[in-house]
Amino acid sequence: MDAFISYRRATGEIYAEEIFQNLKSLDFDVFFDRDQFYGHAGAFTPELQAGIQAADNFILVLSDLAVGDYEKSVFVQEILHALELDKRIIIVKTAGFIFPEDLPEKLSVLPDLQALEISDMQYFRNQFILDLVSKMKRSTAVQNALNKLTANTKLESRRIVENTHSLAERL
């Protein structure tokens, strides 16, 4: 599986849904739990655990008030599981998100990770998805998506020139 999308329902669902739709349109295999596993009384189910374990990339949508209620939050349990498994974590910070000062020790690594920031849904329709995919663990699916996203752009033209002409010829 290419990616697992983790988000706080109350404030991050709209962003997570957009990320999911964009990745699916690029033929990625994505675990995105809308309601199927969450409804088990807020339990961190074996299905969620298996989804994180199977995914090459853990996309973490951090939205306003996302990391509060540390002990009971399935969202926080997902993050902790991804950290335990040493997953590639790609952070997407939405407008309004600020890491709380009382962040638990187990989550203290998160502010040090490089994050993509998004404040406008229009951003999804251009550079954001390219930025997100370029941070994913390299695979055939990632390379195919990058090729689609850069088709007919200056990036594609540069890649064609670099692949067809040696450095000496280009100089």
Side-chain angles (χ1 to χ4, degrees), residues 40-57:
H40 294 85
F44 186 43
T45 66
E47 292 86 357
L48 292 172
Q49 293 174 34
I52 295 168
Q53 186 160 353
D56 290 334
N57 302 281

Side-chain angles (χ1 to χ4, degrees), residues 94-105:
T94 67
F97 178 79
I98 299 172
F99 282 104
E101 291 180 19
D102 64 339
L103 196 64
E105 180 67 30

Side-chain angles (χ1 to χ4, degrees), residues 8 12 17 21 23 30 35 47 56 58 60 64 82 85 92 105 109 114 122 127 134 141 143 146 149 156 170-171:
R8 192 70 179 252
E17 176 71 34
Q21 293 301 333
L23 291 178
V30 182
D35 297 309
E47 292 86 357
D56 290 334
F58 183 83
L60 177 57
D64 193 29
L85 296 172
V92 177
E105 180 67 30
V109 67
Q114 186 178 16
Q122 182 63 31
Q127 190 64 39
S134 67
Q143 192 56 54
L146 289 172
L149 291 166
E156 180 187 47
R170 287 183 274 148
L171 296 176

Side-chain angles (χ1 to χ4, degrees), residues 63-76:
S63 54
D64 193 29
L65 306 173
V67 290
D69 192 18
Y70 304 113
E71 297 302 318
K72 299 176 186 172
S73 169
V74 171
F75 176 69
V76 171

